[in-house]
Amino acid sequence: MIRFVFRFMGLWVLAGAFVALVLDGVRSIASSEIVTTPLGVTWLSVSPDTLTRFQAFTEGTLSSPVWEYLVVPVLGAPLFAVLGVVGALLLLIGRRPAVQ
């Protein structure tokens, strides 16, 4: 049952990555240059309070360099890439073990 949940969530996250890729593609065609939407911009437009709380939690619990050198680059990565990696990891977690 747990494997099903991981696979189900992985497919939905990959579908979100595909939608983000299509939206970036449409924006790129419209502006005649490559346009990608970073994860941080999307998160900020959807829920700015949770982003600031996450920053405070990360800097308070772990440290400020963790926020600067680990989290900020991920927030600057394209949304479709981050969702694609997370979706692929969820699918890998939910896969069946090989029968030997």
Side-chain angles (χ1 to χ4, degrees):
M1 179 67 182
I2 295 296
R3 286 188 308 198
F4 170 75
V5 171
F6 279 116
R7 286 188 306 224
F8 183 75
M9 292 302 297
L11 286 175
W12 275 101
V13 172
L14 277 179
F18 182 70
V19 168
L21 180 66
V22 168
L23 287 174
D24 284 345
V26 168
R27 289 185 188 124
S28 296
I29 291 171
S31 67
S32 298
E33 62 182 8
I34 296 177
V35 176
T36 59
T37 306
L39 172 65
V41 171
T42 305
W43 192 353
L44 187 64
S45 66
V46 172
S47 180
D49 292 341
T50 58
L51 182 59
T52 56
R53 278 190 270 154
F54 180 67
Q55 180 180 3
F57 171 77
T58 305
E59 289 178 343
T61 305
L62 301 172
S63 67
S64 182
V66 171
W67 174 261
E68 292 175 19
Y69 298 117
L70 185 68
V71 178
V72 170
V74 172
L75 290 175
L79 178 63
F80 70 87
V82 175
L83 290 179
V85 168
V86 170
L89 287 175
L90 287 172
L91 286 175
L92 283 174
I93 291 170
R95 72 183 173 101
R96 288 194 180 169
V99 178
Q100 296 180 7

